Amino acid sequence: MRRGAGGKPHRREWLVFGLAGLLLLAAAAVFAGREGARRALNDAAADAQIAARLKVAVLRAEIEKHRSLPVVLAEDPDVAAALGAPGNDRLIEAMNRKLESLSRDTRVGVIYLVDRTGLTVAASNWRDDTSFVGQNYAFRPYFKSAIAEGAAEHFALGTRSNRPGLYLARKVGNGLGAVVIKVEFEALEAEWAEDRDPVMVTDGKGVVLLTDRADWRFQTLAPLDADTIAAVRASLQFGAAPLAPLAFERLPDGQLRIGGSRHIDAVLPVPTTGWSLHLLRGLQPGLRQAESGAALTAGLAAAVLLAAAAVLLRRRHRAAEHRAEDAARRQQLEAEVAARTGDLTAANGRLSAEIAERQQLQDELAQANRLAILGQIAASVAHEINQPVAAIRTYADNAAVFLDRAEREAVAANLGQIARLTDRVGAITGQLRNFARRGPRASSAVDLAAVLDGALLLLGPRLRRQGAVVQRALPPGLPRVQGDPVRLEQVLVNLLQNALDAAGEGAAIEIAGSAAGDEVVVTVADNGPGIPPEVMTRLFTPFVTTKAAGLGLGLVISGDIVKDLGGTLHALNRPAGGAEFTLRLQRA
């Protein structure tokens, strides 16, 4: 390079170098800012889709767990009897109480029966001021469709409760009427409200059905035509809601502008419903941060390049200077480069943290899928825990009597039984907790004799109270079976309880076991009256029972457990009298 007066570099060349460096910095900042915004937008859209899929899975699970209830109730002979005899006060009162109990146990809003004219004859809320009994719902689309087509689903605002919900209807018999349940989603909407992203669920017309924003409910994504509004008004589907369009502005890139802020609209269909779930992810803070971060990173990188170029340019003019001075300056420049590249290393670290966070979101999605089916085993756990709790109460009462008599050994024995039963309750609740944490468990080799000992221990007080005789015929060398000892004990307890209920006082129960090839066969027989033929064909159907106060769930639960373990459970009436249940399990 040429030198001017006084040995300084030519000022024109430095001016050109400086202008080129400024242009490079500006171009790098603009390009990096746009690229950073694009990547941030793509990442936000992907994250919003993951969050939306999670919420769709939870919403679908909430709906699916209630869909079988109207199907089962439509086959219930008590329901047909109540609809066939509307003037029978005794039948109607019994049905009101039954529906009230089912509504409480299944956690649905309301269950009610309407006759062929649309008049409600029985309802779970028969005690409330807003009872449906006596109300006529012939104008509701779900009633008309259920009578005409057999089944219907309809989301609407309650005319009595003024609360929205999903109505699931099923025709009873050949047109006696229909059974209807109302599923409400207030708890689910409350969970959505705890998240930062607004959520709404719309129907096929674009009307907002569910949302964590109360002011959006029953507004629309787009204006509705006059005929559609008139039809909705006639059915009272959304009451007096104005059905006005939401104050959203749809942008050309598919985003929404809400109150001056841009949002990603992550839309997913809700399977089997005809609904769509919208999750709205805000963009402004994240995009600004991504743009400024990318621009800063690019500027630093360009500055490093310019600094290196300046060093090279300056070194050309100082080639004749002392080597030691040149080495010192070079070390100083290398330190500056290392300081600036440290920012790049920090940016890479933030990127790695974001990748780890997305992996955690995927794991949480998998966990939510497991939790969604927990409702299927809740009845089983509640039904099983009642048995050791009842036994604990009996042993506690006995211990109090022995304590009054100063019979210390008997007290100690009863307390020991209580301790073992509390361990049993802990094992049952631990089973549910393990399922929620790790998913389904692997089965193991189980000693049936030990399982039977546990079942007889739980039922010992009742066996003695009824004067029952239990005859065991399990051979000493009976092979172990593949299964879960806690769940197998639950099955035996249910079978023994049914035998005691059927045989009554002085019951005689026979328990036998044998090996048959790859299977181990266990039979439980009683000397009761046997199973009526009309019940035998539907024995393993929910809510079918011969007990006055029974729910008809014990054998359904037992059959599901055995099937899950790879076995079978069958029943028959013995020629000599009484019922016999045969349990076939896989040999370990």
Side-chain angles (χ1 to χ4, degrees), residues 87-108:
N88 190 323
D89 293 340
R90 182 183 61 81
L91 281 177
I92 296 302
E93 181 178 357
M95 181 52 60
N96 281 331
R97 295 182 183 277
K98 183 172 183 176
L99 296 181
E100 181 181 43
S101 175
L102 281 174
S103 176
R104 181 175 58 253
D105 294 341
T106 57
R107 298 183 180 180
V108 299

PDB file of all heavy atoms in Angstrom, residues 87-108:
ATOM      1  N   GLY A  87     -96.354 -44.076  34.063  1.00  0.00           N
ATOM      2  CA  GLY A  87     -97.201 -43.794  35.220  1.00  0.00           C
ATOM      3  C   GLY A  87     -96.853 -44.603  36.449  1.00  0.00           C
ATOM      4  O   GLY A  87     -97.476 -44.431  37.515  1.00  0.00           O
ATOM      5  N   ASN A  88     -95.867 -45.494  36.366  1.00  0.00           N
ATOM      6  CA  ASN A  88     -95.479 -46.338  37.504  1.00  0.00           C
ATOM      7  C   ASN A  88     -94.500 -45.556  38.372  1.00  0.00           C
ATOM      8  O   ASN A  88     -93.311 -45.461  38.069  1.00  0.00           O
ATOM      9  CB  ASN A  88     -94.853 -47.638  36.990  1.00  0.00           C
ATOM     10  CG  ASN A  88     -94.658 -48.659  38.106  1.00  0.00           C
ATOM     11  OD1 ASN A  88     -94.323 -48.291  39.237  1.00  0.00           O
ATOM     12  ND2 ASN A  88     -94.840 -49.924  37.778  1.00  0.00           N
ATOM     13  N   ASP A  89     -94.996 -44.954  39.457  1.00  0.00           N
ATOM     14  CA  ASP A  89     -94.153 -44.096  40.300  1.00  0.00           C
ATOM     15  C   ASP A  89     -92.988 -44.861  40.906  1.00  0.00           C
ATOM     16  O   ASP A  89     -91.889 -44.316  41.070  1.00  0.00           O
ATOM     17  CB  ASP A  89     -94.992 -43.470  41.412  1.00  0.00           C
ATOM     18  CG  ASP A  89     -96.006 -42.480  40.861  1.00  0.00           C
ATOM     19  OD1 ASP A  89     -95.806 -42.007  39.710  1.00  0.00           O
ATOM     20  OD2 ASP A  89     -96.985 -42.184  41.554  1.00  0.00           O
ATOM     21  N   ARG A  90     -93.199 -46.143  41.236  1.00  0.00           N
ATOM     22  CA  ARG A  90     -92.129 -46.917  41.857  1.00  0.00           C
ATOM     23  C   ARG A  90     -90.979 -47.119  40.873  1.00  0.00           C
ATOM     24  O   ARG A  90     -89.813 -46.931  41.218  1.00  0.00           O
ATOM     25  CB  ARG A  90     -92.670 -48.275  42.307  1.00  0.00           C
ATOM     26  CG  ARG A  90     -91.623 -49.154  43.014  1.00  0.00           C
ATOM     27  CD  ARG A  90     -92.197 -50.511  43.374  1.00  0.00           C
ATOM     28  NE  ARG A  90     -92.640 -51.250  42.186  1.00  0.00           N
ATOM     29  CZ  ARG A  90     -91.801 -51.938  41.391  1.00  0.00           C
ATOM     30  NH1 ARG A  90     -90.511 -51.965  41.662  1.00  0.00           N
ATOM     31  NH2 ARG A  90     -92.276 -52.594  40.352  1.00  0.00           N
ATOM     32  N   LEU A  91     -91.309 -47.482  39.629  1.00  0.00           N
ATOM     33  CA  LEU A  91     -90.261 -47.677  38.625  1.00  0.00           C
ATOM     34  C   LEU A  91     -89.529 -46.359  38.324  1.00  0.00           C
ATOM     35  O   LEU A  91     -88.307 -46.325  38.196  1.00  0.00           O
ATOM     36  CB  LEU A  91     -90.866 -48.227  37.328  1.00  0.00           C
ATOM     37  CG  LEU A  91     -91.193 -49.717  37.288  1.00  0.00           C
ATOM     38  CD1 LEU A  91     -91.838 -50.067  35.962  1.00  0.00           C
ATOM     39  CD2 LEU A  91     -89.948 -50.547  37.534  1.00  0.00           C
ATOM     40  N   ILE A  92     -90.297 -45.263  38.222  1.00  0.00           N
ATOM     41  CA  ILE A  92     -89.681 -43.971  37.890  1.00  0.00           C
ATOM     42  C   ILE A  92     -88.742 -43.517  39.001  1.00  0.00           C
ATOM     43  O   ILE A  92     -87.631 -43.030  38.757  1.00  0.00           O
ATOM     44  CB  ILE A  92     -90.760 -42.914  37.620  1.00  0.00           C
ATOM     45  CG1 ILE A  92     -91.568 -43.303  36.379  1.00  0.00           C
ATOM     46  CG2 ILE A  92     -90.122 -41.540  37.423  1.00  0.00           C
ATOM     47  CD1 ILE A  92     -90.740 -43.473  35.129  1.00  0.00           C
ATOM     48  N   GLU A  93     -89.163 -43.677  40.272  1.00  0.00           N
ATOM     49  CA  GLU A  93     -88.300 -43.265  41.382  1.00  0.00           C
ATOM     50  C   GLU A  93     -87.019 -44.097  41.408  1.00  0.00           C
ATOM     51  O   GLU A  93     -85.916 -43.565  41.616  1.00  0.00           O
ATOM     52  CB  GLU A  93     -89.031 -43.401  42.711  1.00  0.00           C
ATOM     53  CG  GLU A  93     -88.162 -42.955  43.893  1.00  0.00           C
ATOM     54  CD  GLU A  93     -88.896 -43.044  45.217  1.00  0.00           C
ATOM     55  OE1 GLU A  93     -90.085 -43.393  45.224  1.00  0.00           O
ATOM     56  OE2 GLU A  93     -88.255 -42.756  46.254  1.00  0.00           O
ATOM     57  N   ALA A  94     -87.151 -45.428  41.196  1.00  0.00           N
ATOM     58  CA  ALA A  94     -85.959 -46.284  41.169  1.00  0.00           C
ATOM     59  C   ALA A  94     -85.019 -45.860  40.034  1.00  0.00           C
ATOM     60  O   ALA A  94     -83.795 -45.838  40.188  1.00  0.00           O
ATOM     61  CB  ALA A  94     -86.366 -47.749  41.012  1.00  0.00           C
ATOM     62  N   MET A  95     -85.598 -45.511  38.872  1.00  0.00           N
ATOM     63  CA  MET A  95     -84.755 -45.095  37.744  1.00  0.00           C
ATOM     64  C   MET A  95     -84.075 -43.755  38.037  1.00  0.00           C
ATOM     65  O   MET A  95     -82.908 -43.544  37.715  1.00  0.00           O
ATOM     66  CB  MET A  95     -85.605 -44.996  36.473  1.00  0.00           C
ATOM     67  CG  MET A  95     -84.821 -44.589  35.228  1.00  0.00           C
ATOM     68  SD  MET A  95     -83.347 -45.617  34.923  1.00  0.00           S
ATOM     69  CE  MET A  95     -84.110 -47.217  34.752  1.00  0.00           C
ATOM     70  N   ASN A  96     -84.803 -42.813  38.666  1.00  0.00           N
ATOM     71  CA  ASN A  96     -84.188 -41.535  39.046  1.00  0.00           C
ATOM     72  C   ASN A  96     -82.966 -41.756  39.927  1.00  0.00           C
ATOM     73  O   ASN A  96     -81.908 -41.150  39.731  1.00  0.00           O
ATOM     74  CB  ASN A  96     -85.193 -40.651  39.776  1.00  0.00           C
ATOM     75  CG  ASN A  96     -86.148 -39.949  38.829  1.00  0.00           C
ATOM     76  OD1 ASN A  96     -85.800 -39.668  37.683  1.00  0.00           O
ATOM     77  ND2 ASN A  96     -87.364 -39.660  39.278  1.00  0.00           N
ATOM     78  N   ARG A  97     -83.115 -42.624  40.911  1.00  0.00           N
ATOM     79  CA  ARG A  97     -81.998 -42.886  41.830  1.00  0.00           C
ATOM     80  C   ARG A  97     -80.831 -43.576  41.110  1.00  0.00           C
ATOM     81  O   ARG A  97     -79.664 -43.303  41.368  1.00  0.00           O
ATOM     82  CB  ARG A  97     -82.483 -43.734  43.013  1.00  0.00           C
ATOM     83  CG  ARG A  97     -83.498 -43.012  43.895  1.00  0.00           C
ATOM     84  CD  ARG A  97     -83.922 -43.870  45.090  1.00  0.00           C
ATOM     85  NE  ARG A  97     -84.932 -43.200  45.889  1.00  0.00           N
ATOM     86  CZ  ARG A  97     -84.671 -42.289  46.818  1.00  0.00           C
ATOM     87  NH1 ARG A  97     -83.418 -41.950  47.057  1.00  0.00           N
ATOM     88  NH2 ARG A  97     -85.646 -41.720  47.499  1.00  0.00           N
ATOM     89  N   LYS A  98     -81.168 -44.497  40.218  1.00  0.00           N
ATOM     90  CA  LYS A  98     -80.104 -45.196  39.479  1.00  0.00           C
ATOM     91  C   LYS A  98     -79.332 -44.226  38.593  1.00  0.00           C
ATOM     92  O   LYS A  98     -78.094 -44.249  38.551  1.00  0.00           O
ATOM     93  CB  LYS A  98     -80.717 -46.307  38.626  1.00  0.00           C
ATOM     94  CG  LYS A  98     -79.694 -47.151  37.868  1.00  0.00           C
ATOM     95  CD  LYS A  98     -80.361 -48.338  37.198  1.00  0.00           C
ATOM     96  CE  LYS A  98     -79.322 -49.228  36.499  1.00  0.00           C
ATOM     97  NZ  LYS A  98     -79.942 -50.436  35.915  1.00  0.00           N
ATOM     98  N   LEU A  99     -80.056 -43.344  37.877  1.00  0.00           N
ATOM     99  CA  LEU A  99     -79.384 -42.370  37.020  1.00  0.00           C
ATOM    100  C   LEU A  99     -78.571 -41.385  37.849  1.00  0.00           C
ATOM    101  O   LEU A  99     -77.488 -40.951  37.442  1.00  0.00           O
ATOM    102  CB  LEU A  99     -80.409 -41.618  36.173  1.00  0.00           C
ATOM    103  CG  LEU A  99     -81.195 -42.458  35.159  1.00  0.00           C
ATOM    104  CD1 LEU A  99     -82.142 -41.574  34.373  1.00  0.00           C
ATOM    105  CD2 LEU A  99     -80.271 -43.198  34.211  1.00  0.00           C
ATOM    106  N   GLU A 100     -79.084 -41.028  39.029  1.00  0.00           N
ATOM    107  CA  GLU A 100     -78.346 -40.109  39.910  1.00  0.00           C
ATOM    108  C   GLU A 100     -77.018 -40.730  40.339  1.00  0.00           C
ATOM    109  O   GLU A 100     -75.972 -40.070  40.321  1.00  0.00           O
ATOM    110  CB  GLU A 100     -79.206 -39.796  41.134  1.00  0.00           C
ATOM    111  CG  GLU A 100     -78.562 -38.830  42.115  1.00  0.00           C
ATOM    112  CD  GLU A 100     -79.459 -38.571  43.318  1.00  0.00           C
ATOM    113  OE1 GLU A 100     -80.053 -39.547  43.844  1.00  0.00           O
ATOM    114  OE2 GLU A 100     -79.571 -37.418  43.744  1.00  0.00           O
ATOM    115  N   SER A 101     -77.054 -42.034  40.695  1.00  0.00           N
ATOM    116  CA  SER A 101     -75.825 -42.718  41.109  1.00  0.00           C
ATOM    117  C   SER A 101     -74.836 -42.835  39.953  1.00  0.00           C
ATOM    118  O   SER A 101     -73.639 -42.594  40.116  1.00  0.00           O
ATOM    119  CB  SER A 101     -76.173 -44.107  41.651  1.00  0.00           C
ATOM    120  OG  SER A 101     -75.005 -44.838  41.955  1.00  0.00           O
ATOM    121  N   LEU A 102     -75.345 -43.181  38.749  1.00  0.00           N
ATOM    122  CA  LEU A 102     -74.463 -43.315  37.588  1.00  0.00           C
ATOM    123  C   LEU A 102     -73.838 -41.971  37.215  1.00  0.00           C
ATOM    124  O   LEU A 102     -72.658 -41.898  36.870  1.00  0.00           O
ATOM    125  CB  LEU A 102     -75.247 -43.868  36.396  1.00  0.00           C
ATOM    126  CG  LEU A 102     -75.499 -45.373  36.375  1.00  0.00           C
ATOM    127  CD1 LEU A 102     -76.407 -45.731  35.232  1.00  0.00           C
ATOM    128  CD2 LEU A 102     -74.191 -46.138  36.295  1.00  0.00           C
ATOM    129  N   SER A 103     -74.616 -40.911  37.289  1.00  0.00           N
ATOM    130  CA  SER A 103     -74.072 -39.583  36.959  1.00  0.00           C
ATOM    131  C   SER A 103     -72.953 -39.203  37.913  1.00  0.00           C
ATOM    132  O   SER A 103     -71.929 -38.639  37.497  1.00  0.00           O
ATOM    133  CB  SER A 103     -75.189 -38.540  37.023  1.00  0.00           C
ATOM    134  OG  SER A 103     -74.673 -37.246  36.805  1.00  0.00           O
ATOM    135  N   ARG A 104     -73.145 -39.507  39.195  1.00  0.00           N
ATOM    136  CA  ARG A 104     -72.107 -39.174  40.175  1.00  0.00           C
ATOM    137  C   ARG A 104     -70.860 -40.028  39.958  1.00  0.00           C
ATOM    138  O   ARG A 104     -69.738 -39.515  40.011  1.00  0.00           O
ATOM    139  CB  ARG A 104     -72.659 -39.404  41.587  1.00  0.00           C
ATOM    140  CG  ARG A 104     -71.674 -39.058  42.702  1.00  0.00           C
ATOM    141  CD  ARG A 104     -72.315 -39.195  44.070  1.00  0.00           C
ATOM    142  NE  ARG A 104     -72.832 -40.529  44.316  1.00  0.00           N
ATOM    143  CZ  ARG A 104     -74.122 -40.852  44.336  1.00  0.00           C
ATOM    144  NH1 ARG A 104     -75.047 -39.917  44.128  1.00  0.00           N
ATOM    145  NH2 ARG A 104     -74.521 -42.090  44.549  1.00  0.00           N
ATOM    146  N   ASP A 105     -71.034 -41.327  39.688  1.00  0.00           N
ATOM    147  CA  ASP A 105     -69.877 -42.224  39.550  1.00  0.00           C
ATOM    148  C   ASP A 105     -69.114 -41.990  38.250  1.00  0.00           C
ATOM    149  O   ASP A 105     -67.894 -42.142  38.213  1.00  0.00           O
ATOM    150  CB  ASP A 105     -70.334 -43.692  39.620  1.00  0.00           C
ATOM    151  CG  ASP A 105     -70.880 -44.055  40.993  1.00  0.00           C
ATOM    152  OD1 ASP A 105     -70.582 -43.318  41.957  1.00  0.00           O
ATOM    153  OD2 ASP A 105     -71.618 -45.042  41.092  1.00  0.00           O
ATOM    154  N   THR A 106     -69.826 -41.659  37.161  1.00  0.00           N
ATOM    155  CA  THR A 106     -69.151 -41.473  35.868  1.00  0.00           C
ATOM    156  C   THR A 106     -68.771 -40.030  35.604  1.00  0.00           C
ATOM    157  O   THR A 106     -68.123 -39.728  34.609  1.00  0.00           O
ATOM    158  CB  THR A 106     -70.065 -41.957  34.722  1.00  0.00           C
ATOM    159  OG1 THR A 106     -71.316 -41.234  34.786  1.00  0.00           O
ATOM    160  CG2 THR A 106     -70.320 -43.449  34.851  1.00  0.00           C
ATOM    161  N   ARG A 107     -69.207 -39.098  36.481  1.00  0.00           N
ATOM    162  CA  ARG A 107     -68.840 -37.683  36.379  1.00  0.00           C
ATOM    163  C   ARG A 107     -69.301 -37.047  35.071  1.00  0.00           C
ATOM    164  O   ARG A 107     -68.549 -36.342  34.401  1.00  0.00           O
ATOM    165  CB  ARG A 107     -67.334 -37.498  36.560  1.00  0.00           C
ATOM    166  CG  ARG A 107     -66.841 -37.935  37.934  1.00  0.00           C
ATOM    167  CD  ARG A 107     -65.361 -37.673  38.083  1.00  0.00           C
ATOM    168  NE  ARG A 107     -64.896 -38.104  39.410  1.00  0.00           N
ATOM    169  CZ  ARG A 107     -63.644 -38.007  39.826  1.00  0.00           C
ATOM    170  NH1 ARG A 107     -62.723 -37.482  39.041  1.00  0.00           N
ATOM    171  NH2 ARG A 107     -63.290 -38.415  41.033  1.00  0.00           N
ATOM    172  N   VAL A 108     -70.540 -37.355  34.682  1.00  0.00           N
ATOM    173  CA  VAL A 108     -71.151 -36.645  33.559  1.00  0.00           C
ATOM    174  C   VAL A 108     -72.106 -35.605  34.116  1.00  0.00           C
ATOM    175  O   VAL A 108     -72.515 -35.662  35.277  1.00  0.00           O
ATOM    176  CB  VAL A 108     -71.890 -37.618  32.611  1.00  0.00           C
ATOM    177  CG1 VAL A 108     -70.936 -38.617  32.036  1.00  0.00           C
ATOM    178  CG2 VAL A 108     -73.025 -38.327  33.326  1.00  0.00           C
TER     179      VAL A 108
END
